[in-house]
PDB file of all heavy atoms in Angstrom:
ATOM      1  N   THR A 157     202.751  77.931 142.689  1.00  0.00           N
ATOM      2  CA  THR A 157     203.642  79.039 143.255  1.00  0.00           C
ATOM      3  C   THR A 157     203.536  79.049 144.720  1.00  0.00           C
ATOM      4  O   THR A 157     204.625  79.234 145.409  1.00  0.00           O
ATOM      5  CB  THR A 157     203.005  80.352 142.640  1.00  0.00           C
ATOM      6  OG1 THR A 157     203.116  80.279 141.200  1.00  0.00           O
ATOM      7  CG2 THR A 157     203.812  81.564 143.110  1.00  0.00           C
ATOM      8  N   ILE A 180     200.549  89.405 150.877  1.00  0.00           N
ATOM      9  CA  ILE A 180     199.766  90.546 150.173  1.00  0.00           C
ATOM     10  C   ILE A 180     199.357  90.032 148.850  1.00  0.00           C
ATOM     11  O   ILE A 180     200.163  89.679 147.999  1.00  0.00           O
ATOM     12  CB  ILE A 180     200.764  91.801 149.964  1.00  0.00           C
ATOM     13  CG1 ILE A 180     201.547  92.078 151.291  1.00  0.00           C
ATOM     14  CG2 ILE A 180     200.123  93.069 149.364  1.00  0.00           C
ATOM     15  CD1 ILE A 180     202.579  93.120 151.043  1.00  0.00           C
ATOM     16  N   GLY A 181     197.956  90.126 148.729  1.00  0.00           N
ATOM     17  CA  GLY A 181     197.333  89.519 147.486  1.00  0.00           C
ATOM     18  C   GLY A 181     196.428  88.367 147.855  1.00  0.00           C
ATOM     19  O   GLY A 181     196.875  87.457 148.605  1.00  0.00           O
ATOM     20  N   ARG A 182     195.238  88.315 147.425  1.00  0.00           N
ATOM     21  CA  ARG A 182     194.253  87.304 147.787  1.00  0.00           C
ATOM     22  C   ARG A 182     193.681  86.589 146.613  1.00  0.00           C
ATOM     23  O   ARG A 182     192.521  86.207 146.648  1.00  0.00           O
ATOM     24  CB  ARG A 182     193.114  88.034 148.631  1.00  0.00           C
ATOM     25  CG  ARG A 182     192.367  89.164 147.907  1.00  0.00           C
ATOM     26  CD  ARG A 182     191.372  89.708 148.750  1.00  0.00           C
ATOM     27  NE  ARG A 182     190.949  91.045 148.255  1.00  0.00           N
ATOM     28  CZ  ARG A 182     190.001  91.793 148.770  1.00  0.00           C
ATOM     29  NH1 ARG A 182     189.442  91.370 149.947  1.00  0.00           N
ATOM     30  NH2 ARG A 182     189.724  92.929 148.271  1.00  0.00           N
ATOM     31  N   SER A 183     194.476  86.457 145.504  1.00  0.00           N
ATOM     32  CA  SER A 183     193.966  85.691 144.390  1.00  0.00           C
ATOM     33  C   SER A 183     193.846  84.243 144.666  1.00  0.00           C
ATOM     34  O   SER A 183     194.609  83.772 145.539  1.00  0.00           O
ATOM     35  CB  SER A 183     194.793  85.958 143.091  1.00  0.00           C
ATOM     36  OG  SER A 183     196.064  85.186 143.290  1.00  0.00           O
ATOM     37  N   LEU A 185     194.808  82.188 142.635  1.00  0.00           N
ATOM     38  CA  LEU A 185     196.059  81.584 142.023  1.00  0.00           C
ATOM     39  C   LEU A 185     197.386  81.475 143.069  1.00  0.00           C
ATOM     40  O   LEU A 185     197.940  80.552 143.180  1.00  0.00           O
ATOM     41  CB  LEU A 185     196.462  82.336 140.789  1.00  0.00           C
ATOM     42  CG  LEU A 185     197.721  81.995 140.145  1.00  0.00           C
ATOM     43  CD1 LEU A 185     197.552  80.635 139.434  1.00  0.00           C
ATOM     44  CD2 LEU A 185     198.062  83.104 139.050  1.00  0.00           C
ATOM     45  N   VAL A 186     197.405  82.570 143.835  1.00  0.00           N
ATOM     46  CA  VAL A 186     198.484  82.697 144.703  1.00  0.00           C
ATOM     47  C   VAL A 186     198.301  83.004 146.167  1.00  0.00           C
ATOM     48  O   VAL A 186     198.455  82.112 147.018  1.00  0.00           O
ATOM     49  CB  VAL A 186     199.624  83.760 144.180  1.00  0.00           C
ATOM     50  CG1 VAL A 186     200.884  83.674 144.997  1.00  0.00           C
ATOM     51  CG2 VAL A 186     199.899  83.643 142.759  1.00  0.00           C
ATOM     52  N   HIS A 207     195.349  92.995 151.094  1.00  0.00           N
ATOM     53  CA  HIS A 207     194.870  93.195 149.788  1.00  0.00           C
ATOM     54  C   HIS A 207     194.793  94.712 149.522  1.00  0.00           C
ATOM     55  O   HIS A 207     195.308  95.499 150.383  1.00  0.00           O
ATOM     56  CB  HIS A 207     193.561  92.553 149.506  1.00  0.00           C
ATOM     57  CG  HIS A 207     192.606  92.763 150.633  1.00  0.00           C
ATOM     58  ND1 HIS A 207     191.866  93.988 150.865  1.00  0.00           N
ATOM     59  CD2 HIS A 207     192.243  91.834 151.706  1.00  0.00           C
ATOM     60  CE1 HIS A 207     191.244  93.883 152.005  1.00  0.00           C
ATOM     61  NE2 HIS A 207     191.413  92.685 152.568  1.00  0.00           N
ATOM     62  N   SER A 208     194.175  95.119 148.475  1.00  0.00           N
ATOM     63  CA  SER A 208     194.161  96.566 148.083  1.00  0.00           C
ATOM     64  C   SER A 208     193.464  97.564 149.014  1.00  0.00           C
ATOM     65  O   SER A 208     193.532  98.661 149.057  1.00  0.00           O
ATOM     66  CB  SER A 208     193.654  96.668 146.655  1.00  0.00           C
ATOM     67  OG  SER A 208     192.286  96.453 146.529  1.00  0.00           O
ATOM     68  N   ARG A 209     192.453  96.820 149.835  1.00  0.00           N
ATOM     69  CA  ARG A 209     191.746  97.671 150.767  1.00  0.00           C
ATOM     70  C   ARG A 209     192.342  97.594 152.190  1.00  0.00           C
ATOM     71  O   ARG A 209     191.774  98.138 153.112  1.00  0.00           O
ATOM     72  CB  ARG A 209     190.348  97.040 150.832  1.00  0.00           C
ATOM     73  CG  ARG A 209     189.562  96.981 149.473  1.00  0.00           C
ATOM     74  CD  ARG A 209     189.475  98.378 148.760  1.00  0.00           C
ATOM     75  NE  ARG A 209     188.522  99.273 149.550  1.00  0.00           N
ATOM     76  CZ  ARG A 209     187.310  99.323 149.549  1.00  0.00           C
ATOM     77  NH1 ARG A 209     186.550  98.486 148.823  1.00  0.00           N
ATOM     78  NH2 ARG A 209     186.657 100.126 150.356  1.00  0.00           N
ATOM     79  N   LEU A 213     199.222  99.278 155.049  1.00  0.00           N
ATOM     80  CA  LEU A 213     199.808  97.988 154.734  1.00  0.00           C
ATOM     81  C   LEU A 213     201.251  97.967 155.352  1.00  0.00           C
ATOM     82  O   LEU A 213     201.601  96.921 155.769  1.00  0.00           O
ATOM     83  CB  LEU A 213     199.879  97.845 153.240  1.00  0.00           C
ATOM     84  CG  LEU A 213     200.402  96.723 152.740  1.00  0.00           C
ATOM     85  CD1 LEU A 213     199.609  95.487 153.091  1.00  0.00           C
ATOM     86  CD2 LEU A 213     200.459  96.707 151.182  1.00  0.00           C
ATOM     87  N   ALA A 226     202.490  89.398 146.753  1.00  0.00           N
ATOM     88  CA  ALA A 226     201.854  88.741 145.563  1.00  0.00           C
ATOM     89  C   ALA A 226     200.840  89.633 145.051  1.00  0.00           C
ATOM     90  O   ALA A 226     199.647  89.191 144.863  1.00  0.00           O
ATOM     91  CB  ALA A 226     201.432  87.362 145.957  1.00  0.00           C
ATOM     92  N   ALA A 227     201.164  90.921 144.888  1.00  0.00           N
ATOM     93  CA  ALA A 227     200.198  91.907 144.419  1.00  0.00           C
ATOM     94  C   ALA A 227     200.369  92.304 143.026  1.00  0.00           C
ATOM     95  O   ALA A 227     199.425  92.694 142.366  1.00  0.00           O
ATOM     96  CB  ALA A 227     200.309  93.130 145.345  1.00  0.00           C
ATOM     97  N   GLY A 228     201.627  92.178 142.481  1.00  0.00           N
ATOM     98  CA  GLY A 228     201.812  92.513 141.140  1.00  0.00           C
ATOM     99  C   GLY A 228     201.960  94.030 141.039  1.00  0.00           C
ATOM    100  O   GLY A 228     201.786  94.610 139.964  1.00  0.00           O
ATOM    101  N   ILE A 229     202.522  94.723 142.130  1.00  0.00           N
ATOM    102  CA  ILE A 229     202.766  96.171 142.039  1.00  0.00           C
ATOM    103  C   ILE A 229     204.254  96.384 142.297  1.00  0.00           C
ATOM    104  O   ILE A 229     204.766  96.050 143.336  1.00  0.00           O
ATOM    105  CB  ILE A 229     201.916  96.897 143.257  1.00  0.00           C
ATOM    106  CG1 ILE A 229     200.482  96.409 143.212  1.00  0.00           C
ATOM    107  CG2 ILE A 229     202.215  98.442 143.312  1.00  0.00           C
ATOM    108  CD1 ILE A 229     199.645  97.147 142.144  1.00  0.00           C
ATOM    109  N   LEU A 232     206.367  97.687 145.661  1.00  0.00           N
ATOM    110  CA  LEU A 232     205.346  97.976 146.670  1.00  0.00           C
ATOM    111  C   LEU A 232     205.988  97.907 148.061  1.00  0.00           C
ATOM    112  O   LEU A 232     205.771  98.728 149.033  1.00  0.00           O
ATOM    113  CB  LEU A 232     204.176  97.035 146.639  1.00  0.00           C
ATOM    114  CG  LEU A 232     203.130  97.158 147.611  1.00  0.00           C
ATOM    115  CD1 LEU A 232     202.347  98.411 147.517  1.00  0.00           C
ATOM    116  CD2 LEU A 232     202.167  95.909 147.567  1.00  0.00           C
ATOM    117  N   VAL A 247     206.728  87.450 145.006  1.00  0.00           N
ATOM    118  CA  VAL A 247     206.146  86.684 144.006  1.00  0.00           C
ATOM    119  C   VAL A 247     205.696  87.482 142.787  1.00  0.00           C
ATOM    120  O   VAL A 247     205.638  87.037 141.670  1.00  0.00           O
ATOM    121  CB  VAL A 247     204.805  85.942 144.575  1.00  0.00           C
ATOM    122  CG1 VAL A 247     204.121  85.287 143.469  1.00  0.00           C
ATOM    123  CG2 VAL A 247     205.163  84.896 145.698  1.00  0.00           C
ATOM    124  N   GLY A 248     205.538  88.644 143.155  1.00  0.00           N
ATOM    125  CA  GLY A 248     204.971  89.735 142.026  1.00  0.00           C
ATOM    126  C   GLY A 248     205.982  89.791 140.865  1.00  0.00           C
ATOM    127  O   GLY A 248     207.138  89.682 141.008  1.00  0.00           O
ATOM    128  N   VAL A 249     205.248  89.876 139.807  1.00  0.00           N
ATOM    129  CA  VAL A 249     206.092  90.169 138.433  1.00  0.00           C
ATOM    130  C   VAL A 249     205.460  91.257 137.716  1.00  0.00           C
ATOM    131  O   VAL A 249     204.241  91.191 137.288  1.00  0.00           O
ATOM    132  CB  VAL A 249     206.003  88.878 137.540  1.00  0.00           C
ATOM    133  CG1 VAL A 249     206.752  89.114 136.133  1.00  0.00           C
ATOM    134  CG2 VAL A 249     206.594  87.653 138.288  1.00  0.00           C
ATOM    135  N   THR A 279     211.043  83.041 143.287  1.00  0.00           N
ATOM    136  CA  THR A 279     209.786  82.145 143.348  1.00  0.00           C
ATOM    137  C   THR A 279     209.558  81.695 141.863  1.00  0.00           C
ATOM    138  O   THR A 279     208.833  80.563 141.871  1.00  0.00           O
ATOM    139  CB  THR A 279     208.647  83.042 143.823  1.00  0.00           C
ATOM    140  OG1 THR A 279     208.440  84.181 143.070  1.00  0.00           O
ATOM    141  CG2 THR A 279     208.808  83.462 145.289  1.00  0.00           C
ATOM    142  N   GLY A 280     209.944  82.316 140.856  1.00  0.00           N
ATOM    143  CA  GLY A 280     209.588  81.812 139.495  1.00  0.00           C
ATOM    144  C   GLY A 280     210.066  80.485 139.206  1.00  0.00           C
ATOM    145  O   GLY A 280     209.309  79.608 138.961  1.00  0.00           O
ATOM    146  N   THR A 283     208.197  77.770 141.046  1.00  0.00           N
ATOM    147  CA  THR A 283     206.910  77.460 140.436  1.00  0.00           C
ATOM    148  C   THR A 283     207.018  76.235 139.438  1.00  0.00           C
ATOM    149  O   THR A 283     206.278  75.318 139.576  1.00  0.00           O
ATOM    150  CB  THR A 283     206.239  78.582 139.854  1.00  0.00           C
ATOM    151  OG1 THR A 283     206.030  79.615 140.754  1.00  0.00           O
ATOM    152  CG2 THR A 283     204.957  78.313 139.156  1.00  0.00           C
TER     153      THR A 283
HETATM  154  P1  LIG B   6     195.989  89.281 140.888  1.00  0.00           P
HETATM  155  O1  LIG B   6     194.799  88.298 140.617  1.00  0.00           O
HETATM  156  O2  LIG B   6     195.958  90.446 140.006  1.00  0.00           O
HETATM  157  O3  LIG B   6     195.863  89.668 142.366  1.00  0.00           O
HETATM  158  C1  LIG B   6     196.455  90.665 143.002  1.00  0.00           C
HETATM  159  C2  LIG B   6     196.164  90.853 144.394  1.00  0.00           C
HETATM  160  O4  LIG B   6     196.927  91.910 144.860  1.00  0.00           O
HETATM  161  C3  LIG B   6     194.766  91.220 144.611  1.00  0.00           C
HETATM  162  O5  LIG B   6     194.262  90.514 145.717  1.00  0.00           O
HETATM  163  C4  LIG B   6     194.830  92.669 144.974  1.00  0.00           C
HETATM  164  O6  LIG B   6     193.808  93.192 145.954  1.00  0.00           O
HETATM  165  C5  LIG B   6     196.127  92.917 145.594  1.00  0.00           C
HETATM  166  N1  LIG B   6     196.652  94.176 145.490  1.00  0.00           N
HETATM  167  C6  LIG B   6     196.797  94.941 144.318  1.00  0.00           C
HETATM  168  N2  LIG B   6     197.241  96.130 144.573  1.00  0.00           N
HETATM  169  C7  LIG B   6     197.538  96.136 145.959  1.00  0.00           C
HETATM  170  C8  LIG B   6     198.143  97.114 146.716  1.00  0.00           C
HETATM  171  N3  LIG B   6     198.509  98.328 146.378  1.00  0.00           N
HETATM  172  N4  LIG B   6     198.263  96.799 148.014  1.00  0.00           N
HETATM  173  C9  LIG B   6     197.867  95.581 148.503  1.00  0.00           C
HETATM  174  N5  LIG B   6     197.306  94.622 147.724  1.00  0.00           N
HETATM  175  C10 LIG B   6     197.185  94.850 146.391  1.00  0.00           C
HETATM  176  O7  LIG B   6     197.283  88.618 140.655  1.00  0.00           O
HETATM  177  P2  LIG B   6     197.880  87.130 140.899  1.00  0.00           P
HETATM  178  O8  LIG B   6     197.465  86.283 139.779  1.00  0.00           O
HETATM  179  O9  LIG B   6     197.622  86.671 142.246  1.00  0.00           O
HETATM  180  O10 LIG B   6     199.421  87.518 140.711  1.00  0.00           O
HETATM  181  C11 LIG B   6     200.093  88.304 141.663  1.00  0.00           C
HETATM  182  C12 LIG B   6     201.357  88.651 141.070  1.00  0.00           C
HETATM  183  O11 LIG B   6     202.214  87.413 141.118  1.00  0.00           O
HETATM  184  C13 LIG B   6     201.485  89.153 139.660  1.00  0.00           C
HETATM  185  O12 LIG B   6     202.453  90.019 139.531  1.00  0.00           O
HETATM  186  C14 LIG B   6     201.809  87.785 138.944  1.00  0.00           C
HETATM  187  O13 LIG B   6     202.445  88.225 137.708  1.00  0.00           O
HETATM  188  C15 LIG B   6     202.785  87.198 139.840  1.00  0.00           C
HETATM  189  N6  LIG B   6     202.833  85.681 139.715  1.00  0.00           N
HETATM  190  C16 LIG B   6     204.111  85.153 139.922  1.00  0.00           C
HETATM  191  C17 LIG B   6     204.244  83.816 139.825  1.00  0.00           C
HETATM  192  C18 LIG B   6     205.705  83.255 140.089  1.00  0.00           C
HETATM  193  O14 LIG B   6     205.996  82.196 139.750  1.00  0.00           O
HETATM  194  N7  LIG B   6     206.586  84.136 140.624  1.00  0.00           N
HETATM  195  C19 LIG B   6     203.216  82.982 139.589  1.00  0.00           C
HETATM  196  C20 LIG B   6     201.968  83.400 139.400  1.00  0.00           C
HETATM  197  C21 LIG B   6     201.825  84.923 139.549  1.00  0.00           C
HETATM  198  P3  LIG B   6     192.302  93.145 145.630  1.00  0.00           P
HETATM  199  O15 LIG B   6     191.868  91.636 145.766  1.00  0.00           O
HETATM  200  O16 LIG B   6     191.732  94.065 146.699  1.00  0.00           O
HETATM  201  O17 LIG B   6     192.051  93.628 144.198  1.00  0.00           O
END
Side-chain angles (χ1 to χ4, degrees):
T157 302
I180 310 173
R182 57 180 162 183
S183 74
L185 178 66
V186 188
H207 44 75
S208 66
R209 307 296 301 275
L213 184 61
I229 306 288
L232 172 70
V247 173
V249 177
T279 56
T283 296

